[in-house]
Structures are given as structure tokens and as C-alpha cells.
């Protein structure tokens, strides 16, 4: 399946059609019980109003990894040790004036990480070294991903975000008191450091190379729900690429099945292979890297999460160490 | 006892009026009524007739105020002249989750000033979600010579200096209970402020504090307070120190350990084990920070009569929990972290047939990368083994309608069902359907249900069910749910005993808000945030219902017409005057 970077004409419009379809989710009539359920299969929140369409359009462009070029973001990610409430700032745009909301959304998203971010920049999601902050970066990505959906979790970071909290989970959700949050994370990290005599049995296995499996999250532009892949199941970039491809084709198909209109075709073509999407990853330093730049074993030991970005978005990214636009066989072509 | 006396008293009302009160002197009525403890009973009694109203108010010694802004301290003092114990609750519950601005209010000081004048013999003060400063604590400490019990839960605004003031001045203190507060822990030697002559302390809970305490002072204090029955230490107290304390306090009924992890010699371990097992009265155990399998066995002998085990700060694995629970046959209440996973919960079902309450907290609520925690299977397993279960708080990442139906079939006596599927709006993960049928099953089967928290993907159908079946429901918490105003209307129209309704991130708008116009006066409060309510809707509500305070919290940069956060509550004190600029009173 050696295709060049040219897009598969057949799949292109269908993929792009995801956007209007999502818009339609928002138009769903209220109080219309069961018939909506199918449409809402993959949604993680209740439908909102029309103005979400604008939100989701904007947010489509923002699903990406961090921009190293803009410098480290330090101030947006307070660690739980601050004993400050970890919260985001995200609230629902329901009922808000769509026009106003849109402009505010724009500026807020841009301002979010850094006020010096250039107009085309994407919200930064720096991955700091300390674990708790990592979680928050991850969660920002979650919530931005959820920006496709109307509600609650995502919207615009309003003043509270600028004031104190980092991009992260929804404010006040899950409903856990701050005192529990701090203690929970403290205990697992303290076990490693403060009790040298006692074996810490409860360390997070999250991305350990040894042991059971190495699950990393993977998100694809246009798919609200991310998945996890077990890197231990693969030993090369080709295999990973194929697996990711199949994974998301299945998801995209399911998404579209639920909204299938007459005459539309299911996605049959390859996503990554066609160059439509490009695989990038975040390493343990928070940098965005093109998949395939480094030897496989090095990749496996430093990767924290994966993304499949629309290739058309790539030029705007300032990726980690590799220069922009350099497509390697690994990240665009499965064997 | 109380109700039969009430009956006799009620029967004599008629004779009361006809005999011009000569056969039933006020003093007797007061004496009878003084036996009533429940504030709800007392409220009912006070409505019978004017004499009863007066008798009740003179005999009441404890007043419970569920919303500090529903009434003013002056009104309270005017009505109840003989109060010795006050319980006050302030901020809306969602302030625990940072949804309420920091300077929102609920400051205790104005109350203390009135109390100092009207209730100089005040003995007890229990506060929940109030703001209390060090100055207020000091004022409290010096103004009430008989002061005995201070309990602060989820309060903020004070530091350990305030505690020092209490310790210094309250000569008759029996209870100092500091729980889950936003306390500015600057350490210091507040414990040393208890005078050498002070021996009356029965309850000491400082588990909330993070700084080191003066252990020497603590040891001496515990040693001389022979009536101490509740001692909850903070994390800074080591195992070895715990052992030394227990040796002098075997009478403890409730123990909260400090850090449960330390390198001990065999002898030290045995001493600890012995000290713990000597606490024959121990029925409640908590703390246990960082407890691991290595030292948990030291607890085994002490757990024989345990009824409440709080492991929510100990990230135990399933095997460790199972081994521990084998020694806790009398357990009625259990709090754990979800590190115990479904296997751990299976052990709960197997070992704790008397269990009535289960709370499972997430160890890492914000980390989706963790692939474990508990699932529906764990909950189901508990329900099979614990038919008496009536209170559950369950945080999980997946749930099914079928599982919940099974659970309530096994445990139909739920009074509190709080299920939190942590991913907002998540459907039944097997069928991809909404979780409507799950909560439908809950409200249909559990007729005694008083408190319900819903989560997951929910349509208006859930709320139809709630309105139709939840006839005893008093508290409802809703987040990321519903489809239209109809949902909220169903609840407001259907739940006759509803007192507290808190809603966030739901598509309920003005129509829904205004459908509850009359209802809100029978409720304590309504909270709606990130919904579709507008300022105009709130203004209309405020205009129509003069006995309601309608407050809107605006966020900077939001649309002027949107009511971001709305808090509505009944009040006889009128609109409050201490609201910060971000809170608009309509």
C-alpha cells in the first residue's frame, strides 16, 4: 500500500464529513429520547446547542501536541503538591451567545498556555517531568478532544483558568475533595521516596517497559475517543502503524455507521498509509516527535503517548527534534 | 419513648385549651419536650399551637441550621434563648470541589458575636463549610468559659494559630475535631498550648494537619486525659510513636493512626501489635497512611470488634485487603481506595456480611492512563455478600445497567446511592446505551432512598423515573446529564421530599428553573452551574418568590446574559449583605 502523500479522494470527503456530522449531533432535538441514543454512542456528554458547532470547528484545529518552539510552559501546570485545587477551567458554553463565545474561545485557547503564542499556534500541552503534571497535560488533551462534543467538559477556559489553574480535567470533576486528591498522589509517590525500608508495592505501572504490557494512549484527529495500544505487542514501526490504522478505521467506521446516511460509504481505505494522517508521539520530556525518527527500542522507552494527526495540520506544528514536514516511511506508510 | 409522650401530650392539647392550661403547666410540657432530640421533631412540635411553640423554644438546647444564610443569628437568639449547642452549615456542597469562589462568604464571626452576647454558656459549635479565621477562633476561645466541643469539617480560613488559641483558653474542652479543612498548617506548637492541668479532652482529631506536631506534648496530653476515647493522629506520627501513645490509652474507641509504614525491629513490631490488641473498645480505625502488607497484620487482633474501617488513605492491594478483612467480621462501614480492585471487593462480599456502608474512592481520579480501579463487577460482588448494604459511594470507570439492576435487587434497602462513573456522560460500556435503566432500577426498587447521585450518559428518562418513583428522595446530585428542561421538571414536579438539588453541566434552562417556583420554598437549596439558565430567568425567579434568595456567581469574561452559577435558597433573613462582588443577589 505504497501511496504517496496524495490523499485518497474517496476517503477524503468522507473523513471531512465527520465535521458536519458532528454538527448535526448538536442539532439533535431535545427530549427526543431513544432515537438519539445511537447517534450519541461515542459521545461523552449530552448534546448542547448550535453554538457548539463553532466551538468544535475551532477545536478541531487544536488537537495536537505541544509546541516546543514556544518555550516551556511552566506557569500553567501547578503540581498537586501546591495544594492548590487541580482544576480546569473549562466550563460549558451552553446557552452562551455563539458569536461572542467564538471570539472568546479563540482568544482563550490561544491565551491559554502563553500569551505570546502566535495566531496559528495550537494550545500547548507541555509535558513536565513530574508525574502529576503529566497527568494534567494528558487530561488537557482529553478535554480538548472532548471539545468535539457539546458539553461540559470542554469549553472555553474562562478567567479562572488564567488566574490559577492549569489546563486539565474539568473543574470539580470527579467530585473529590482536594484533601483526598493530594493524599492519594502523595502516597503513591511518597512510597517510593520516603520509605526506603519498605518495598513500595503500589507504584504505578503506567509506562513501564518491563512487566505486563506497555499501554500508551493514542488519539486520532477527528475521533473523540482515544484508545490505548500495547506497545509490547509490536516490535517495529510498521506493525504499530498497521495496528493503529486498523484501530481507527474501525472506530471511524463505527462513528459513521451510527450517522450513516444513504449513499455514504464506509471507510475502507487506509488512513495512515495514504498520508492522510501522520503519527506523532510525545516523549518523556514532553517533546513532540515524528514517529520513526529514532530506533524502535528507543522510541518504546521514551514514548508517553501517540497521536495521529491530519497531515494537513502538520506544517503548523513545531515538532521536537525532527524538522517539520519530514515524512518518514514509518509514519506515513504501513508495509 | 419520645413519640408516646408526644402522643399523650398531643391528646391533652384539646383539654389544654378547654381547661385554660391549668391541667398542663408549661413547665411539664417543657420537660416533656426537652426529651426530644431530633430537630425535625421539634420543628413539627413547634407548629402544633402557640403554647407548644413557646414550650419548645424554651426547652431547646441544640439548634441545627442547615444553611447559615437562611436565618440570622439575631432571629435565632430571639427565638431560642437557651441554646448550648449549635450546628451550622455554610457554603454549598460544590465548594468542596472548587466550584464556589473563595471569598464567597459563610463567615462565622457575626454569629459568634451574637452568641457571645446571647449564649454566654455556649458549649458546642459544629461547623461545616464555614469560613473561620484565627481571630474568630480566639474570640470563641475567650468568650465562652464553658466551651466544650469544637468540630470543624470542610472549613477554611484558619491556621494552627487558631487551634493554639483554643488549646490555651478552653479549660473545659472535651472535643477538638478538625476534619478535612482548608487549614493553613504552619505547624507551631499548638498542642503544647494545652495547660499541664488540662485533663478533660475526650475527642482529639487532627488527622487533617500535615505538619509535624510536638510529640512530647501529645504524649503527655494523651497520658493525662484518661477519658480520651477518640484519637486521630496526623501523618507525621510514626508507628513507634503510635505504640507509645496506645500504651497509655488502651481505652480508645476510635483510633486514627499516623503513617503506617516504618522500619521496625521484631520487638517493636510485637510491641505495636500488643498495644493495638489491648484496645478492647476499639470500634473505629482510620489513618493508616501508606499502609502496606508488611505491617497490616499488626492490626489483626485489634479488628475483632471493629465496625468502621477507613482505609481511604491506604493504597492497599486486593490481597492485603482480603487478609485484613478476614479479621473484621463485625464490620459495618468500610472506606477503601480503588487500588483494591474488584478482587478486593469480592473479599468484602465474602468477609463482611454485616456491611451497611461502602465507599470506594479513586486513588488517581485524574489519570486515565491507569487501567485498573474498580468496575461493576466489584460492586456486584459486594451486593451478593452484603444484603444489608444501604449506603454506597462508588467511583468507577465503567458500569452497566444490568449490574446496577442486580445490585439493587440484592440490596433493596439503599438509603444513599452515590454512583460516580468518572468519565462524564459515559454510557453502559457493554451496550452503549444510556444509564437510564440503572437509575430507574435504583429508584423503583429502593423505596427508602434519601440521597442519590447520578452519573454516566443519561437522558431525560432517568429524571422521569426519579420524579415518578423516588418518593423519599431528599438530596439529588446531577452532573453532565439530561437532554432538556423536561428532565429537571420531572424531578421538581415529582419528588415530594426533595430538599437539596445540585446540578452542574446539564442542558436545563429557564423553563426548568421556573417550573420549581413553589417547590424551592420547601427545599433548603438549589444549585445550578454551567446550565442554560439566564440572568433573566433568575431575575424572574427572584421577583416571583420573595422568600428565596437568588444568587448568581459570574465568571469573568462570560456572557452578561448567562447565569453561570446559580444558588437559590429559602431564607427568612432576607438577602445577605456580605456577598463578594462576584456574587450577585437578585
Amino acid at each position: 500500500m505504497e501511496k504517496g502523500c496524495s490523499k485518497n479522494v474517496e476517503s477524503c470527503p468522507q473523513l471531512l464529513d465527520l465535521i458536519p456530522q458532528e454538527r448535526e449531533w448538536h442539532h439533535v432535538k431535545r427530549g427526543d429520547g431513544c432515537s438519539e441514543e445511537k447517534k450519541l454512542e461515542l459521545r461523552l456528554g449530552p448534546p448542547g446547542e448550535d453554538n457548539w458547532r463553532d466551538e468544535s470547528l475551532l477545536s478541531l484545529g487544536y488537537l495536537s501536541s505541544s509546541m516546543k518552539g514556544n518555550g516551556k510552559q511552566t506557569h500553567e501546570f501547578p503540581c498537586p503538591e501546591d495544594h492548590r485545587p487541580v482544576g480546569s477551567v473549562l466550563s460549558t458554553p451552553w446557552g452562551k451567545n455563539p458569536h461572542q463565545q467564538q471570539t472568546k474561545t479563540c482568544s482563550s485557547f490561544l491565551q491559554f498556555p502563553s500569551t505570546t503564542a502566535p495566531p496559528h499556534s495550537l494550545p500547548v500541552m507541555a509535558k513536565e517531568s513530574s508525574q502529576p503534571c503529566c497527568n494534567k497535560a494528558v487530561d488537557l488533551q482529553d478535554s480538548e478532544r472532548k471539545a468535539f462534543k457539546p458539553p461540559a467538559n470542554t469549553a472555553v477556559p474562562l478567567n479562572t483558568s488564567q488566574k490559577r489553574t492549569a489546563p486539565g480535567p474539568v473543574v470539580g470533576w470527579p467530585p473529590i475533595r482536594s484533601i483526598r486528591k493530594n493524599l492519594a498522589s502523595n502516597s503513591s509517590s511518597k512510597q517510593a521516596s520516603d520509605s526506603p525500608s519498605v518495598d513500595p508495592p503500589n507504584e504505578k505501572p503506567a509506562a513501564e517497559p518491563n512487566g505486563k504490557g506497555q499501554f500508551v494512549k493514542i488519539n486520532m484527529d477527528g475521533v473523540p475517543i482515544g484508545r490505548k495500544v500495547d506497545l509490547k505487542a509490536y516490535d517495529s514501526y510498521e506493525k504499530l502503524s498497521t495496528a493503529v490504522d486498523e484501530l481507527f478505521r474501525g472506530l471511524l467506521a463505527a462513528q459513521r455507521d451510527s450517522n450513516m446516511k444513504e449513499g455514504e460509504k464506509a471507510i475502507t481505505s487506509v488512513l495512515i498509509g495514504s498520508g492522510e494522517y501522520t503519527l506523532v508521539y510525545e516523549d518523556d520530556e514532553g517533546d513532540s516527535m515524528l514517529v520513526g525518527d529514532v530506533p524502535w527500542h528507543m522510541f518504546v522507552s521514551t514514548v508517553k503517548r501517540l497521536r495521529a494527526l491530519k497531515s494537513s495540520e502538520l506544517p503548523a506544528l513545531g515538532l521536537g527534534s525532527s524538522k517539520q514536514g519530514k515524512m518518514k516511511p514509518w509514519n506515513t506508510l504501513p508495509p | 419513648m419520645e413519640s408516646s409522650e408526644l402522643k399523650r401530650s398531643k391528646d391533652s392539647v384539646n383539654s389544654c385549651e378547654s381547661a385554660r392550661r391549668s391541667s398542663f403547666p408549661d413547665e411539664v410540657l417543657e420537660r416533656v419536650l426537652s426529651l426530644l432530640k431530633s430537630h425535625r421533631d421539634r420543628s413539627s412540635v413547634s407548629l402544633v399551637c402557640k403554647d407548644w411553640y413557646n414550650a419548645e423554644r424554651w426547652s431547646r438546647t441544640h439548634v441545627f441550621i442547615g444553611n447559615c444564610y437562611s436565618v440570622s443569628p439575631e432571629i435565632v437568639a430571639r427565638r431560642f434563648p437557651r441554646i448550648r449547642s449549635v450546628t451550622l452549615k455554610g457554603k454549598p456542597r460544590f465548594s468542596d470541589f472548587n466550584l464556589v469562589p473563595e471569598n464567597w462568604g459563610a463567615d462565622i464571626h457575626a454569629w459568634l458575636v451574637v452568641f457571645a452576647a446571647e449564649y454566654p454558656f455556649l458549649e458546642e459549635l459544629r461547623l461545616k463549610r464555614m469560613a473561620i479565621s484565627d481571630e474568630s477562633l480566639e474570640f470563641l476561645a475567650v468568650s465562652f468559659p464553658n466551651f466544650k466541643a469544637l468540630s470543624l469539617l470542610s472549613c477554611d480560613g484558619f491556621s494552627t494559630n487558631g487551634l493554639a488559641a483554643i488549646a490555651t483558653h478552653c479549660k473545659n474542652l472535651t472535643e477538638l475535631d478538625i476534619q478535612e479543612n482548608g487549614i493553613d498548617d504552619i505547624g507551631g506548637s499548638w498542642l503544647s498550648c494545652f495547660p499541664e492541668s488540662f485533663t478533660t479532652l475526650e475527642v482529639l482529631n487532627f488527622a487533617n494537619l500535615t505538619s509535624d506536631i510536638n510529640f512530647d506534648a501529645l504524649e503527655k496530653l494523651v497520658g493525662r486525659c484518661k477519658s480520651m476515647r477518640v484519637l486521630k493522629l496526623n501523618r507525621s506520627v510514626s508507628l513507634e510513636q503510635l505504640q507509645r501513645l496506645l500504651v497509655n490509652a488502651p481505652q480508645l474507641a476510635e483510633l486514627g493512626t499516623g503513617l503506617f509504614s516504618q522500619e521496625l525491629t521484631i520487638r517493636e513490631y510485637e510491641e505495636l501489635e500488643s498495644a493495638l490488641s489491648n484496645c478492647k473498645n476499639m470500634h473505629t480505625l482510620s489513618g493508616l497512611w501508606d499502609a502496606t502488607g508488611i505491617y497490616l497484620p499488626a492490626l489483626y487482633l485489634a479488628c475483632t470488634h471493629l465496625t468502621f474501617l477507613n482505609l481511604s488513605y491506604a493504597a492497599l492491594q486486593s490481597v492485603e485487603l482480603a487478609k485484613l478483612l478476614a479479621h473484621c467480621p463485625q464490620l459495618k462501614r468500610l472506606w477503601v481506595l480503588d487500588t483494591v480492585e474488584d478482587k478486593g471487593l469480592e473479599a468484602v462480599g465474602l468477609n463482611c456480611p454485616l456491611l451497611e456502608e461502602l465507599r470506594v474512592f479513586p486513588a488517581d481520579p485524574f489519570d486515565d492512563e491507569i487501567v485498573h480501579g474498580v468496575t461493576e463487577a466489584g460492586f456486584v460482588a459486594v451486593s451478593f455478600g452484603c444484603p444489608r448494604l444501604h449506603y454506597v459511594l462508588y467511583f468507577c470507570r465503567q458500569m452497566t445497567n444490568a449490574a446496577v439492576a442486580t445490585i439493587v435487587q440484592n440490596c433493596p434497602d439503599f438509603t444513599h446511592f452515590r454512583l460516580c462513573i468518572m468519565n462524564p456522560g459515559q454510557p453502559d460500556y457493554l451496550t452503549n446505551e444510556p444509564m437510564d435503566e440503572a437509575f430507574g432500577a435504583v429508584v423503583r426498587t429502593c423505596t427508602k432512598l434519601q440521597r442519590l447521585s447520578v452519573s454516566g450518559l443519561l437522558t431525560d428518562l432517568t429524571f422521569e423515573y426519579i420524579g415518578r418513583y423516588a418518593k423519599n428522595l431528599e438530596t439529588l446530585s446531577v452532573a453532565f446529564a439530561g437532554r432538556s428542561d423536561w428532565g429537571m421538571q420531572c424531578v421538581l414536579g415529582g419528588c415530594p421530599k426533595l430538599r437539596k438539588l445540585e446540578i452542574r453541566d446539564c442542558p436545563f434552562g429557564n423553563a426548568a428553573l421556573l417550573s420549581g417556583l413553589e417547590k424551592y420554598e420547601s427545599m433548603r437549596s438549589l444549585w445550578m452551574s454551567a446550565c442554560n439558565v439566564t440572568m433573566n430567568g433568575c431575575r424572574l425567579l427572584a421577583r416571583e418568590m420573595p422568600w428565596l434568595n437568588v444568587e448568581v456567581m459570574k465568571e469573568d469574561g462570560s456572557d452578561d446574559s448567562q447565569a453561570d452559577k446559580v444558588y437559590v435558597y429559602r431564607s427568612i433573613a432576607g438577602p445577605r449583605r456580605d456577598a463578594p462582588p462576584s456574587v450577585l443577589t437578585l
Side-chain angles (χ1 to χ4, degrees):
Chain A
M1 286 200 272
E2 295 263 312
K3 291 191 174 127
C5 292
S6 63
K7 296 183 176 188
N8 179 311
V9 174
E10 223 177 36
S11 63
C12 236
Q14 288 158 350
L15 287 170
L16 287 174
D17 280 347
L18 277 177
I19 302 164
Q21 275 155 29
E22 285 179 47
R23 254 184 260 152
E24 284 188 15
W25 286 351
H26 311 330
H27 285 283
V28 163
K29 289 178 278 299
R30 284 181 170 172
D32 184 9
C34 304
S35 59
E36 300 174 24
E37 301 340 313
K38 284 294 175 186
K39 290 180 194 168
L40 297 164
E41 255 178 33
L42 294 171
R43 284 170 109 216
L44 297 183
E49 291 182 332
D50 292 55
N51 48 48
W52 260 109
R53 159 192 45 200
D54 303 308
E55 288 274 305
S56 56
L57 273 180
L58 284 166
S59 44
L60 272 180
Y62 290 91
L63 258 204
S64 73
S65 40
S66 58
M67 297 181 45
K68 180 87 168 93
N70 280 336
K72 286 277 187 193
Q73 300 68 36
T74 48
H75 50 102
E76 280 71 38
F77 299 86
C79 298
E81 282 78 18
D82 281 357
H83 292 278
R84 288 249 228 87
V86 171
S88 107
V89 192
L90 312 172
S91 54
T92 177
W94 277 323
K96 297 191 164 97
N97 179 317
H99 177 69
Q100 248 177 317
Q101 192 58 32
Q102 187 173 351
T103 16
K104 292 206 165 80
T105 309
C106 258
S107 48
S108 301
F109 261 116
L110 291 174
Q111 277 168 21
F112 206 164
S114 149
T115 48
T116 60
H120 295 297
S121 71
L122 308 155
V124 183
M125 289 180 294
K127 205 132 195 280
E128 306 208 332
S129 45
S130 73
Q131 186 69 11
C133 298
C134 282
N135 296 345
K136 282 194 270 325
V138 165
D139 289 322
L140 170 64
Q141 291 164 344
D142 286 350
S143 40
E144 289 197 328
R145 172 162 37 94
K146 285 168 193 165
F148 283 109
K149 300 170 240 163
N153 338 359
T154 40
V156 183
L158 300 175
N159 80 314
T160 32
S161 74
Q162 283 142 24
K163 268 196 207 142
R164 52 180 167 126
T165 52
V170 181
V171 181
W173 190 266
I176 311 275
R177 285 181 176 169
S178 322
I179 208 112
R180 283 200 178 280
K181 288 184 239 167
N182 294 340
L183 284 168
S185 55
N186 279 352
S187 76
S188 50
S189 52
K190 271 194 156 72
Q191 273 188 324
S193 51
D194 291 8
S195 314
S197 53
V198 179
D199 271 342
N202 301 329
E203 281 197 340
K204 290 198 244 187
E208 284 216 304
N210 317 312
K212 305 172 213 173
Q214 187 184 350
F215 286 93
V216 293
K217 243 186 175 154
I218 175 160
N219 291 86
M220 172 174 276
D221 271 351
V223 179
I225 299 179
R227 301 302 301 269
K228 281 197 158 89
V229 287
D230 181 2
L231 292 180
K232 297 200 82 81
Y234 316 107
D235 57 14
S236 68
Y237 285 117
E238 294 99 322
K239 291 192 180 147
L240 174 66
S241 185
T242 316
V244 169
D245 207 278
E246 282 174 12
L247 186 66
F248 281 104
R249 254 192 292 158
L251 259 186
L252 286 171
Q255 247 175 228
R256 301 195 62 258
D257 277 347
S258 58
N259 295 300
M260 196 76 82
K261 292 196 148 79
E262 307 232 342
E264 281 177 359
K265 293 175 207 165
I267 297 170
T268 48
S269 58
V270 162
L271 302 168
I272 297 179
S274 62
E276 173 90 33
Y277 285 82
T278 303
L279 269 181
V280 299
Y281 72 99
E282 270 172 38
D283 67 7
D284 49 9
E285 288 169 0
D287 299 331
S288 265
M289 316 282 279
L290 265 181
V291 165
D293 275 358
V294 301
W296 173 257
H297 66 272
M298 195 187 293
F299 162 73
V300 162
S301 64
T302 59
V303 63
K304 287 299 170 203
R305 66 181 296 154
L306 288 159
R307 306 204 88 95
L309 304 179
K310 287 199 143 178
S311 304
S312 51
E313 304 291 341
L314 280 178
L317 291 175
L319 293 175
S321 66
S322 90
K323 300 305 162 224
Q324 298 174 13
K326 196 169 181 191
M327 304 291 192
K328 284 254 172 70
W330 318 118
N331 49 39
T332 55
L333 304 171
Chain B
M1 173 196 75
E2 293 166 6
S3 52
S4 60
E5 275 167 332
L6 247 187
K7 254 194 229 151
R8 273 187 275 129
S9 305
K10 277 184 178 160
D11 286 342
S12 59
V13 167
N14 295 331
S15 58
C16 177
E17 284 168 343
S18 60
R20 295 196 189 353
R21 288 187 280 154
S22 58
S23 59
F24 212 83
D26 293 337
E27 297 79 32
V28 177
L29 184 54
E30 269 178 50
R31 180 76 185 92
V32 166
L33 295 182
S34 69
L35 297 167
L36 280 179
K37 301 294 174 224
S38 149
H39 64 274
R40 287 195 206 177
D41 285 345
R42 283 184 159 273
S43 295
S44 308
V45 156
S46 66
L47 295 172
V48 170
C49 67
K50 194 160 169 233
D51 288 337
W52 280 50
Y53 178 89
N54 282 322
E56 193 278 315
R57 59 184 273 262
W58 279 98
S59 66
R60 197 188 288 213
T61 56
H62 169 246
V63 68
F64 170 86
I65 299 161
N67 175 4
C68 64
Y69 287 119
S70 64
V71 72
S72 75
E74 292 82 5
I75 296 175
V76 172
R78 215 165 30 233
R79 177 169 171 188
F80 301 114
R82 290 202 193 143
I83 294 297
R84 277 187 268 123
S85 166
V86 176
T87 302
L88 261 173
K89 295 188 181 180
K91 303 181 197 177
R93 191 177 77 97
F94 279 173
S95 72
D96 285 350
F97 318 125
N98 308 312
L99 287 178
V100 171
E102 277 181 23
N103 54 349
W104 183 84
D107 195 302
I108 190 64
H109 202 80
W111 291 84
L112 290 178
V113 168
V114 172
F115 291 162
E118 307 293 335
Y119 305 138
F121 300 112
L122 187 70
E123 293 175 5
E124 295 182 2
L125 190 62
R126 298 176 197 284
L127 305 181
K128 186 169 184 180
R129 294 194 196 99
M130 300 285 296
I132 179 161
S133 67
D134 285 343
E135 289 71 35
S136 295
L137 282 171
E138 178 144 12
F139 181 77
L140 168 67
V142 302
S143 307
F144 304 98
N146 270 11
F147 195 73
K148 293 201 170 97
L150 178 65
S151 169
L152 301 176
L153 172 56
S154 284
C155 296
D156 63 1
F158 63 104
S159 77
T160 37
N161 286 341
L163 298 183
I166 298 287
T168 307
H169 299 290
C170 297
K171 307 275 182 270
N172 297 309
L173 199 68
T174 59
E175 178 175 337
L176 183 59
D177 182 11
I178 313 294
Q179 284 188 63
E180 300 196 16
N181 299 292
I183 181 173
D184 188 8
D185 189 350
I186 52 186
S189 50
W190 62 275
L191 262 175
S192 335
C193 294
F194 285 107
E196 298 273 330
S197 55
F198 173 75
T199 59
T200 50
L201 204 59
E202 296 170 24
V203 174
L204 178 60
N205 176 1
F206 60 93
N208 191 193
L209 300 181
T210 48
S211 65
D212 291 351
I213 45 103
N214 181 336
F215 181 72
D216 196 51
L218 175 64
E219 195 175 11
K220 293 201 179 99
L221 179 67
V222 172
R224 62 181 187 267
C225 294
K226 292 298 176 196
S227 308
M228 192 172 281
R229 49 184 175 82
V230 176
L231 179 61
K232 296 189 180 172
L233 310 166
N234 76 349
R235 214 195 146 101
S236 75
V237 177
S238 71
L239 278 178
E240 195 221 324
Q241 290 171 331
L242 172 67
Q243 187 267 339
R244 281 159 61 183
L245 291 172
L246 289 179
V247 159
N248 281 327
Q251 77 283 2
L252 284 178
E254 296 184 27
L255 172 66
T257 73
L259 195 68
F260 214 76
S261 173
Q262 180 187 354
E263 204 167 79
L264 295 179
T265 65
I266 304 240
R267 196 175 67 96
E268 285 168 337
Y269 174 87
E270 283 171 357
E271 283 175 350
L272 174 68
E273 190 181 33
S274 164
L276 283 163
S277 62
N278 273 339
C279 298
K280 305 285 183 210
N281 296 334
M282 196 161 77
H283 58 70
T284 294
L285 183 61
S286 60
L288 300 168
W289 278 278
D290 295 359
T292 67
I294 301 185
Y295 293 122
L296 282 176
L299 294 171
Y300 290 172
L301 294 174
C303 289
T304 333
H305 304 293
L306 215 57
T307 56
F308 179 22
L309 180 57
N310 180 353
L311 296 168
S312 61
Y313 296 115
L316 295 194
Q317 305 292 289
S318 53
V319 172
E320 295 162 333
L321 177 67
K323 286 191 191 154
L324 179 56
L325 288 180
H327 296 88
C328 308
Q330 309 290 327
L331 215 56
K332 289 195 179 148
R333 301 171 64 197
L334 176 64
W335 296 15
V336 291
L337 283 176
D338 66 358
T339 50
V340 303
E341 299 187 3
D342 290 335
K343 273 196 78 59
L345 294 182
E346 280 170 32
V348 174
L350 287 173
N351 288 294
C352 307
L354 302 179
L355 200 71
E356 297 176 15
E357 174 180 329
L358 175 68
R359 302 195 196 198
V360 181
F361 295 94
D364 278 289
F366 303 113
D367 192 343
D368 297 346
E369 307 218 356
I370 299 283
V371 192
H372 24 270
V374 294
T375 73
E376 77 281 7
F379 198 169
V380 169
V382 174
S383 74
F384 275 111
C386 310
R388 298 191 196 186
L389 199 63
H390 69 82
Y391 191 120
V392 79
L393 170 62
Y394 200 80
F395 285 86
C396 57
R397 291 187 172 86
Q398 65 187 51
M399 187 51 61
T400 67
N401 289 309
V404 176
T406 305
I407 288 161
V408 295
Q409 196 173 15
N410 293 337
C411 305
D413 296 330
F414 274 114
T415 55
H416 297 68
F417 193 91
R418 303 165 63 188
L419 176 62
C420 182
I421 303 167
M422 286 191 275
N423 202 3
Q426 182 173 298
D428 178 322
Y429 81 99
L430 285 181
T431 65
N432 263 333
E433 286 169 2
M435 295 297 296
D436 296 334
E437 292 310 317
F439 295 105
V442 172
V443 294
R444 243 182 268 118
T445 315
C446 306
T447 52
K448 301 180 206 161
L449 197 70
Q450 293 169 23
R451 181 170 181 185
L452 179 64
S453 300
V454 298
S455 59
L457 180 65
L458 300 175
T459 71
D460 288 341
L461 187 55
T462 297
F463 303 102
E464 279 183 38
Y465 287 145
I466 292 174
R468 201 182 312 156
Y469 296 107
K471 293 308 175 191
N472 284 316
L473 192 67
E474 297 179 12
T475 305
L476 179 63
S477 306
V478 184
F480 306 105
R483 287 274 179 274
S484 71
D485 289 334
W486 172 240
M488 187 171 162
Q489 285 165 342
C490 285
V491 171
L492 290 171
C495 299
K497 295 199 184 167
L498 195 65
R499 291 189 304 118
K500 286 177 280 184
L501 181 56
E502 45 187 31
I503 300 172
R504 62 164 295 179
D505 295 274
C506 296
F508 303 140
N510 292 338
L513 175 73
L514 296 170
S515 70
L517 273 188
E518 278 88 38
K519 183 91 172 178
Y520 301 135
E521 275 189 352
S522 67
M523 289 169 54
R524 183 186 296 175
S525 64
L526 165 73
W527 169 281
M528 286 178 80
S529 61
C531 297
N532 286 352
V533 176
T534 69
M535 292 298 292
N536 283 336
C538 295
R539 285 190 196 105
L540 189 60
L541 176 63
R543 204 162 43 233
E544 292 296 313
M545 306 296 295
W547 292 112
L548 295 180
N549 280 356
V550 179
E551 297 180 10
V552 177
M553 283 154 269
K554 300 283 295 169
E555 283 161 22
D556 293 347
S558 79
D559 198 321
D560 279 346
S561 67
Q562 268 324 99
D564 307 312
K565 294 175 184 166
V566 182
Y567 185 49
V568 179
Y569 56 93
R570 64 181 174 191
S571 175
I572 57 174
R576 60 183 177 116
R577 282 165 297 231
D578 62 351
S582 59
V583 177
L584 307 169
T585 307
L586 303 179

